[in-house]
Amino acid sequence: MSAGRPSEGAGCINWWGFSPSRDLISAGPVRHEGEVNVLLAGSGDPRHILKTVSGLRDEDVLNVWLFENNMEVVARQMLLLYIALTPQDMMGLNEKTEMFLELFGNSVIRSPTDETMKRAAAQLLLHVSDIPEADVHPCFNTSLLKFKERDELARIFKSWMPHSSSSIAPLSISKAWDYRVRKHLGTRYDAKKGCFDWDLTMKLHEKGCSVINKHQYVRWRESGLAFELREGVYQISNPSLLSSRVFSQRGDRMALRGYWGDIVSSPYLAFGIETEDKSLLKTQNGHHMKTAQDISYANVQELFQSLSRRQECQATPQSSTEGERPSTNSEQNSVAVRDLMRLKGVSVNFLPLDSLQKLAEKRKYANFYNIIHFSASCVHHLGPTIRQIAAPDAVLIVELAKYILDLNKEQEAGFAERVSVMCQEAGFQPCSEAKSDDLHAVFEPRKDK
């Protein structure tokens, strides 16, 4: 039985990943020590970055190189990192966790979250519009992006904070969400709750995600509201989940703005289905006492606490009276990118959209990356050039299709087999000593004779 049209449920843009967060440094047969260079291809969100930072030792150095397929996802990665790195004296731990999850997984958000997002967008706009200086924040290195890509980021951030005088009516994400659900379910739309229940109980629960609560999952499937963490009105569209998709119609290509991400698997997968705190997984009479929302909250809050412990001591942020231009209303009570928390030995570098095939052309990246992670949506980029940029002891991790619910068991197995073939053709071999699971396939460079 299929509850929808194949491939439509996952969408064409990854706003979040289809697997839980992973400490990538510990993903191979042995833990990488010292300075580690990590390439993340299509991760869709910063879950792996946050989890890997939480596992760093004091002497470790983590350099992340981030590749995404489009600039809307790059902009959202920057937004979520901005929230995560906001100093706690500017945003308390509970408030930060709530706002992060709202922006991460909700189609509609509360007014305070919308104001925070607009202030963040204003600061990120300033960051990408300025020529990088020596004082650039190490977790927001956009100097490798092309000028047109930085211009596109600026356009996106501006669109997140429209002026009230604008004559263009904002797009309703609620209508865009309903459009996707109707297209996905087709004639089954009138029986949508039965379809939602089938996907939850016969797919997600059967795959080990029984902690995902029926009420919360159905609410998300109907409206895109995954995390309802506070009493309040969730009615403002989350613009960071809107993007354009190009369609062909009668030979013409036209871009339509809407919600083109996942409407089936859910944002609970990233932070909400695994936890080291076993008390959160307790059951009573066969039912979980906590939900995936509860676990997401606890996990994200713990990750943010790890960031604070890794924070470097910083000089007092400069104020506008020290030679800077006065701030506008949207920038008041916000933090400049350079004044966000700096994490000891951690950097994040944003790569151009065409970079995966070009990295091998630069001598700097030859045998450079110790860990390479590909999302399920990016496997088509796997090729011999990836082998050229992998260090001799590198680990290649590829996300599998376990939680892409529109695929049946045969298609899921076929995807894993195709990944294995592609990796071996690219010069890698299965890593027999790595911890294997059905979420990721782990490979190592083949030792050519």
Side-chain angles (χ1 to χ4, degrees):
M1 177 179 178
S2 173
R5 300 178 183 179
S7 78
E8 276 297 314
C12 64
I13 185 168
N14 274 22
W15 295 127
W16 45 75
F18 293 97
S19 60
S21 58
R22 283 287 181 267
D23 178 356
L24 299 178
I25 288 182
S26 301
V30 296
R31 187 184 187 279
H32 280 81
E33 302 289 343
E35 185 167 3
V36 181
N37 294 308
V38 177
L39 174 62
L40 283 177
S43 61
D45 61 60
R47 69 192 187 284
H48 297 316
I49 298 175
L50 299 176
K51 184 69 172 179
T52 304
V53 169
S54 72
L56 291 179
R57 298 171 182 170
D58 190 60
E59 66 275 10
D60 289 335
V61 174
L62 174 67
N63 302 313
V64 178
W65 307 76
L66 204 58
F67 167 83
E68 297 291 353
N69 282 316
N70 60 70
M71 297 313 295
E72 282 104 340
V73 178
V74 174
R76 202 168 120 89
Q77 288 267 25
M78 295 179 70
L79 170 66
L80 293 174
L81 282 173
Y82 180 98
I83 299 297
L85 295 176
T86 299
Q88 285 196 30
D89 59 350
M90 294 295 294
M91 187 185 298
L93 186 59
N94 292 338
E95 181 185 15
K96 182 193 295 191
T97 304
E98 292 164 356
M99 290 195 172
F100 179 93
L101 287 173
E102 277 191 43
L103 291 169
F104 173 71
N106 285 3
S107 62
V108 286
I109 54 180
R110 296 174 300 123
S111 177
T113 306
D114 178 59
E115 290 301 318
T116 297
M117 188 209 61
K118 287 178 180 177
R119 290 195 293 268
Q123 295 298 334
L124 291 168
L125 171 61
L126 289 175
H127 176 69
V128 300
S129 300
D130 291 342
I131 298 175
E133 302 174 354
D135 193 35
V136 65
H137 194 289
C139 289
F140 291 85
N141 179 19
T142 57
S143 65
L144 301 175
L145 297 177
K146 300 175 181 179
F147 283 111
K148 65 178 182 180
E149 292 170 336
R150 292 161 63 89
D151 289 343
E152 177 65 6
L153 281 176
R155 183 197 66 77
I156 294 167
F157 293 136
K158 286 179 182 177
S159 74
W160 292 357
M161 44 180 192
H163 298 292
S164 58
S165 59
S166 174
S167 60
I168 302 175
L171 175 64
S172 167
I173 199 169
S174 298
K175 292 182 179 179
W177 186 278
D178 186 65
Y179 169 81
R180 286 287 314 290
V181 175
R182 287 178 180 274
K183 293 290 287 185
H184 178 240
L185 296 181
T187 57
R188 298 188 181 192
Y189 180 81
D190 291 336
K192 59 184 179 180
K193 288 193 175 180
C195 295
F196 300 159
D197 185 60
W198 174 273
D199 284 338
L200 178 64
T201 58
M202 302 305 295
K203 294 183 179 181
L204 282 170
H205 284 181
E206 286 294 316
K207 292 175 182 287
C209 300
S210 58
V211 74
I212 297 181
N213 174 274
K214 178 180 177 179
H215 169 74
Q216 292 173 355
Y217 179 76
V218 169
R219 180 190 64 199
W220 174 75
R221 286 291 301 267
E222 286 187 313
S223 64
L225 181 59
F227 301 103
E228 194 168 8
L229 298 157
R230 283 198 179 195
E231 291 185 3
V233 181
Y234 291 79
Q235 63 181 13
I236 301 175
S237 293
N238 180 357
S240 76
L241 288 177
L242 292 171
S243 63
S244 296
R245 181 177 180 180
V246 177
F247 290 86
S248 294
Q249 188 174 22
R250 298 176 182 176
D252 296 328
R253 291 167 61 84
M254 57 184 298
L256 292 181
R257 189 156 178 80
Y259 176 82
W260 306 114
D262 166 43
I263 57 169
V264 173
S265 296
S266 86
Y268 299 124
L269 298 174
F271 301 105
I273 62 173
E274 293 183 352
T275 175
E276 296 175 3
D277 183 355
K278 300 308 177 186
S279 67
L280 295 173
L281 298 175
K282 285 183 178 180
T283 59
Q284 189 172 33
N285 299 324
H287 297 284
H288 281 275
M289 299 175 67
K290 299 293 183 180
T291 68
Q293 173 175 291
D294 299 325
I295 294 174
S296 296
Y297 185 92
N299 281 340
V300 170
Q301 188 167 82
E302 183 179 353
L303 293 174
F304 288 168
Q305 288 173 329
S306 296
L307 297 184
S308 296
R309 290 192 292 268
R310 189 95 189 164
Q311 182 179 6
E312 289 182 340
C313 295
Q314 294 174 241
T316 304
Q318 292 180 335
S319 66
S320 60
T321 61
E322 295 176 311
E324 295 185 22
R325 61 171 182 76
S327 61
T328 63
N329 289 337
S330 63
E331 296 167 40
Q332 291 175 358
N333 301 319
S334 59
V335 185
V337 168
R338 68 173 177 274
D339 294 327
L340 295 171
M341 287 194 299
R342 299 193 179 211
L343 310 180
K344 180 183 177 183
V346 178
S347 68
V348 179
N349 309 278
F350 294 87
L351 292 170
L353 298 184
D354 62 352
S355 59
L356 273 192
Q357 306 308 317
K358 295 184 177 181
L359 289 174
E361 299 172 4
K362 299 182 179 180
R363 184 177 301 176
K364 172 185 176 180
Y365 299 111
N367 303 320
F368 182 73
Y369 291 106
N370 308 104
I371 300 168
I372 301 173
H373 182 283
F374 271 77
S375 71
S377 64
C378 261
V379 294
H380 58 283
H381 287 293
L382 277 167
T385 55
I386 303 302
R387 174 65 181 85
Q388 296 173 38
I389 62 177
D393 63 342
V395 174
L396 170 62
I397 308 164
V398 184
E399 181 183 64
L400 299 178
K402 178 178 180 178
Y403 292 128
I404 299 180
L405 301 189
D406 283 338
L407 302 184
N408 57 38
K409 291 183 178 180
E410 292 73 23
Q411 291 170 323
E412 182 187 330
F415 182 89
E417 184 177 345
R418 188 165 76 252
V419 164
S420 181
V421 170
M422 293 176 69
C423 289
Q424 293 184 62
E425 289 178 346
F428 295 86
Q429 63 187 14
C431 188
S432 58
E433 298 180 17
K435 300 174 184 177
S436 60
D437 56 33
D438 51 2
L439 294 173
H440 296 91
V442 183
F443 301 85
E444 61 187 359
R446 187 170 62 240
K447 307 299 188 290
D448 296 321
K449 297 181 179 179

